[in-house]
Amino acid sequence: KQEVTQIPAALSVPEGENLVLNCSFTDSAIYNLQWFRQDPGKGLTSLLLIQSSQREQTSGRLNASLDKSSGRSTLYIAASQPGDSATYLCAAMYNYGQNFVFGPGTRLSVLP
Amino acid sequence: EPEVTQTPSHQVTQMGQEVILRCVPISNHLYFYWYRQILGQKVEFLVSFYNNEISEKSEIFDDQFSVERPDGSNFTLKIRSTKLEDSAMYFCASKAGQYTEAFFGQGTRLTVV
C-alpha cells in the first residue's frame, strides 16, 4: 500500500530563516509529486509540481526537489515570512493510479 | 486566474438525508476528482472521473456515493443517505491532463447531525 509521510509534523521558526520540509513516499513508481499549501479551514493551493523525470522545481522563494530512488522530496522555503504560516502537504501520484496519496502535512509557524 | 469553484461552502444536514455537493472545474480541464478531509486527518481520495465515467474510486466511495457531470461545466458529488461519519471537508479538483498540475477548490464543509 502506498504511503506518504511528512516530517516534522510542526515547525516554528523566526522570520527570515530558510527552512526545509520533508516528504517521504513508499514505492518509487511515482509519476509526479505535488506540494500544496493549506490555510486553516481552507482549500489546497498548489505550490509546485515535480514530474518523476525532474529533480527540482522552483517558484519564487520555493524550491522542491525529488529523489525517486530514496523515496524523498523536500520543499525549501527561503527567507520565510509570517505569511508563509500554513500547513504544507505533499501528494504523490503513482503510475498505476490516477489519484494522489497525501501526506499528513507539516504545520509551519513563522514568527515575526 | 481560472479556479475551481465549490458550492455551498458549508452545509449542515440531518443524518439519513441526501446531499449534493457542487463543483465547477476549470473550463478546459478533462480530469475531475473528489477528495475529503475529516477534521485533523489526511486528505483522502474518493473518486476520479474522465470522459464521462468513473475511472477510479476508493473503498470509501461505496454505493451511497455517486458523481455526475450533468452539463459541460458542473461536477457533482451526491451522498444518498448521510451518516455522522460523512462529516468532513469535501474538495473538488481538476486537471488539464492526467499527469499535469491539480487545482483544488476551497472545499465544502459538510456537517451531519
Side-chain angles (χ1 to χ4, degrees):
Chain A
K1 182 183 175 183
Q2 304 99 36
E3 190 170 356
V4 178
T5 56
Q6 292 184 247
I7 53 171
L11 180 64
S12 186
V13 299
E15 181 176 5
E17 247 188 45
N18 303 324
L19 56 100
V20 174
L21 308 181
N22 297 290
C23 172
S24 296
F25 48 91
T26 58
D27 191 343
S28 61
I30 65 167
Y31 255 116
N32 57 43
L33 187 140
Q34 194 164 346
W35 283 91
F36 296 89
R37 168 189 173 133
Q38 185 176 31
D39 292 286
K42 302 292 186 183
L44 308 179
T45 300
S46 176
L47 298 174
L48 287 164
L49 170 73
I50 313 181
Q51 302 292 351
S52 61
S53 57
Q54 298 174 312
R55 291 192 64 85
E56 269 190 25
Q57 274 286 10
T58 298
S59 175
R61 294 184 294 108
L62 305 180
N63 175 277
S65 68
L66 177 65
D67 184 344
K68 278 182 59 176
S69 61
S70 66
R72 294 183 60 186
S73 176
T74 61
L75 180 67
Y76 174 84
I77 302 177
S80 57
Q81 302 168 359
D84 294 331
S85 298
T87 296
Y88 290 80
L89 303 174
C90 67
M93 173 166 289
Y94 289 89
N95 289 357
Y96 38 85
Q98 294 189 27
N99 56 289
F100 279 123
V101 177
F102 277 84
T106 293
R107 191 171 67 253
L108 173 66
S109 296
V110 181
L111 307 174
Chain B
E1 184 171 323
E3 59 181 14
V4 176
T5 306
Q6 290 186 242
T7 54
S9 56
H10 190 190
Q11 178 148 5
V12 181
T13 188
Q14 294 220 325
M15 193 168 52
Q17 294 296 304
E18 173 182 289
V19 295
I20 297 176
L21 310 183
R22 302 180 191 280
C23 169
V24 180
I26 294 173
S27 64
N28 62 341
H29 284 190
L30 301 176
Y31 294 82
F32 312 111
Y33 306 83
W34 284 100
Y35 288 80
R36 79 172 186 190
Q37 185 178 34
I38 295 171
L39 189 62
Q41 297 187 22
K42 290 186 182 185
V43 177
E44 303 173 288
F45 167 72
L46 292 178
V47 65
S48 60
F49 192 87
Y50 169 72
N51 202 25
N52 284 321
E53 61 182 22
I54 291 174
S55 44
E56 189 174 3
K57 59 184 180 179
S58 71
E59 293 174 354
I60 303 167
F61 194 88
D62 62 21
D63 292 345
Q64 293 301 310
F65 291 87
S66 63
V67 289
E68 211 176 36
R69 189 157 160 81
D71 53 40
S73 59
N74 291 287
F75 180 50
T76 62
L77 174 70
K78 181 192 291 186
I79 310 175
R80 288 192 184 80
S81 178
T82 49
K83 307 183 186 72
L84 295 176
E85 55 265 36
D86 293 328
S87 295
M89 182 78 99
Y90 287 80
F91 293 111
C92 173
S94 70
K95 301 195 298 188
Q98 190 172 4
Y99 304 111
T100 60
E101 188 176 7
F103 294 90
F104 281 69
Q106 289 300 298
T108 292
R109 180 169 299 284
L110 177 66
T111 304
V112 183
V113 297

